[in-house]
Amino acid sequence: MNTNLALRRICATLAIGACMLAPAQAQELTFTLVEQFVIGDDEEASAEYLLSFPKMVRTDSKGNIYVQDRRRMDIRVFDATGQYVTTIGKRGEGPGEMRDLIGMHMDDQDRLIVADRISARFTIFTEMGNGIETSSFVDERTISPHPILSLEGAYVLKYVRLIDDPEEDLPYINDDNTLHLHDSKLNRIESFARLDELFDLNRPFLKADSDSPDALIMATNGIDTIILAPHIYSGYVYRYTRSNGSWDMEKLKGSPAPRRAYIPYSERDREANPDLRGAGMTISGPTGIYRARVLNWSVGMAILSTSEFVNFTKQTPLGGKVGNKAELFDQDGSLQGYGPLRFDSLELNSNRRVMGSISILWTDGNDRVYLRRRNEQGYYVLSVAELEISSK
């Protein structure tokens, strides 16, 4: 039986605070991606449509789609039907040029904001790139401000501040907060979300991963709420809500997760056990090199127009089949249901290479989902889909 996104709540309203919420009687659900169109799937198309690895996606108030490809220092713009419009920015050091584009966001004024790690500055593009402003990073030792998301009259950025260790000549973490609130002029005004709230810093692999650009999967409601999960997903989603000038954190229990989210291993272990090689991660940091086989991932987060939110996950068990799933939480933070994530195409669902490559990059105000996946030939494409949720 089909249900709409505004599924009936199954919990009473819970007080906001630093607490852990137990799952209610969650339903078994099916999450279906109904593709509307795909950008980059036609090898005969002109170069503007071809993608190597779509890394960041945002949309503006007109439905235009802004795509940053990993190998390029520009942003391609497509209209709401997937037709190429223009390209903004280019590689370089001058105004409107980037050397290492690490963050991108479209605010509620249709201003495109990009962060250049090497140049240590933000560039703000207006009028499809015809207007250009720049703003230097406030913290000189900021690395990888990604993602950038909007809140009411402000922006929230994920990054870690570093300073040099004069004895070891290596950078180390100087700030134990990972989320930073910036005002409308991109000046930092507040920091919150302690690293040890989100990561087990007693585990070397997780500690090393905690300051990587993609360590957190995040979404906001654009006003006062941030939903996030570590991409190495242990079964808990975190919600930060701004109330009376402070941030309240809730730890929300998701669906049943594997007993271990990852298995650390040495290079010798990897050579001895072929099962460890798939879905492996190697993290190099100032304290060493750490390797692990990840079993459970968060690959996307979306806050829907109903105020419900979805965590998209992927399971990569040893010697097993990749499993794509999703979890639906109501606006009170209770788990409403969970189940498989699939396409409306049997051909896509049966292609292991396609299903193993899904990452949710963005969800717009109309609940349209923008995801990166491989096509049948193995190339990365950008899929634009409607999300349908139904009960089993």
Side-chain angles (χ1 to χ4, degrees), residues 3-125:
T3 60
N4 58 29
L5 293 179
L7 295 171
R8 188 181 303 276
R9 295 185 198 172
I10 52 180
C11 289
T13 301
L14 295 167
I16 295 175
C19 62
M20 183 185 299
L21 303 181
Q25 296 178 353
Q27 304 179 51
E28 291 189 20
L29 301 173
T30 297
F31 299 78
T32 303
L33 295 165
V34 182
E35 284 195 328
Q36 306 300 297
F37 57 88
V38 178
I39 300 173
D41 203 24
D42 182 1
E43 295 182 25
E44 303 301 321
S46 59
E48 291 86 359
Y49 289 89
L50 301 181
L51 304 170
S52 63
F53 188 83
K55 184 178 178 181
M56 292 179 281
V57 173
R58 290 294 189 269
T59 52
D60 64 19
S61 62
K62 298 179 179 63
N64 294 311
I65 307 164
Y66 297 72
V67 183
Q68 193 272 321
D69 202 40
R70 180 171 60 185
R71 294 183 180 179
R72 297 170 59 121
M73 290 299 109
D74 57 27
I75 298 95
R76 275 175 277 181
V77 185
F78 303 87
D79 68 17
T81 66
Q83 299 302 304
Y84 174 76
V85 176
T86 190
T87 297
I88 297 174
K90 64 179 180 178
R91 188 182 298 273
E93 301 182 20
E97 299 174 349
M98 282 79 69
R99 299 170 64 193
D100 185 7
L101 205 166
I102 192 67
M104 181 182 83
H105 186 59
M106 176 65 62
D107 69 10
D108 58 3
Q109 301 175 52
D110 284 350
R111 303 191 312 163
L112 178 66
I113 301 168
V114 299
D116 184 342
R117 184 181 64 86
I118 294 179
S119 297
R121 70 185 182 193
F122 299 102
T123 300
I124 302 97
F125 294 98

Side-chain angles (χ1 to χ4, degrees), residues 110-386:
D110 284 350
R111 303 191 312 163
L112 178 66
I113 301 168
V114 299
D116 184 342
R117 184 181 64 86
I118 294 179
S119 297
R121 70 185 182 193
F122 299 102
T123 300
I124 302 97
F125 294 98
T126 58
E127 300 174 358
M128 286 286 183
N130 291 317
I132 299 172
E133 303 173 30
T134 59
S135 174
S136 298
F137 290 172
V138 174
D139 301 302
E140 292 184 358
R141 294 298 303 172
T142 296
I143 64 168
S144 305
H146 168 73
I148 305 169
L149 297 168
S150 289
L151 290 174
E152 191 170 37
Y155 306 97
V156 61
L157 282 67
K158 186 271 178 188
Y159 63 80
V160 176
R161 291 174 58 216
L162 303 180
I163 63 173
D164 288 326
D165 183 342
E167 296 182 2
E168 299 293 335
D169 194 28
L170 291 171
Y172 69 94
I173 295 175
N174 184 43
D175 188 341
D176 61 0
N177 292 293
T178 189
L179 299 185
H180 305 269
L181 198 66
H182 289 235
D183 64 19
S184 60
K185 296 185 180 297
L186 292 166
N187 297 307
R188 187 169 62 90
I189 55 177
E190 185 180 4
S191 299
F192 62 102
R194 291 172 53 89
L195 285 170
D196 58 8
E197 291 177 343
L198 304 169
F199 303 94
D200 184 349
L201 300 182
N202 293 316
R203 297 181 180 272
F205 177 72
L206 293 183
K207 183 175 182 179
D209 181 61
S210 67
D211 63 351
S212 67
D214 299 316
L216 293 176
I217 306 298
M218 295 171 50
T220 76
N221 67 352
I223 303 172
D224 59 1
T225 300
I226 302 163
I227 307 292
L228 55 85
H231 74 144
I232 301 174
Y233 182 53
S234 63
Y236 292 96
V237 172
Y238 299 82
R239 178 165 65 179
Y240 288 85
T241 305
R242 188 169 178 80
S243 177
N244 298 321
S246 64
W247 290 94
D248 296 318
M249 188 272 279
E250 300 162 279
K251 187 177 182 181
L252 313 174
K253 184 71 173 68
S255 60
R259 183 173 61 87
R260 293 185 293 179
Y262 68 97
I263 301 173
Y265 63 80
S266 66
E267 190 61 28
R268 180 179 296 178
D269 295 333
R270 182 179 182 273
E271 292 299 322
N273 186 353
D275 283 342
L276 293 174
R277 298 173 190 174
M281 281 185 61
T282 299
I283 302 171
S284 299
T287 57
I289 298 176
Y290 302 93
R291 300 177 177 88
R293 171 67 150 81
V294 181
L295 306 177
N296 202 33
W297 309 77
S298 176
V299 296
M301 190 75 67
I303 299 180
L304 305 176
S305 58
T306 59
S307 296
E308 297 161 312
F309 54 95
V310 181
N311 180 32
F312 299 92
T313 69
K314 177 173 68 175
Q315 289 72 46
T316 53
L318 290 177
K321 184 179 179 181
V322 172
N324 297 282
K325 298 182 180 179
E327 305 169 335
L328 179 68
F329 297 81
D330 68 16
Q331 60 184 328
D332 297 322
S334 299
L335 181 67
Q336 286 188 288
Y338 59 91
L341 175 69
R342 64 189 186 191
F343 290 95
D344 62 332
S345 163
L346 293 177
E347 184 177 3
L348 293 179
N349 292 332
S350 62
N351 190 314
R352 296 182 64 178
R353 183 158 50 180
V354 170
M355 299 306 292
S357 64
I358 295 173
S359 289
I360 309 299
L361 302 180
W362 182 245
T363 303
D364 66 21
N366 296 314
D367 298 337
R368 194 156 73 158
V369 177
Y370 302 78
L371 62 122
R372 178 179 61 233
R373 67 165 177 84
R374 291 185 185 270
N375 63 10
E376 291 85 343
Q377 290 73 42
Y379 300 108
Y380 282 104
V381 298
L382 179 67
S383 166
V384 180
E386 302 289 344

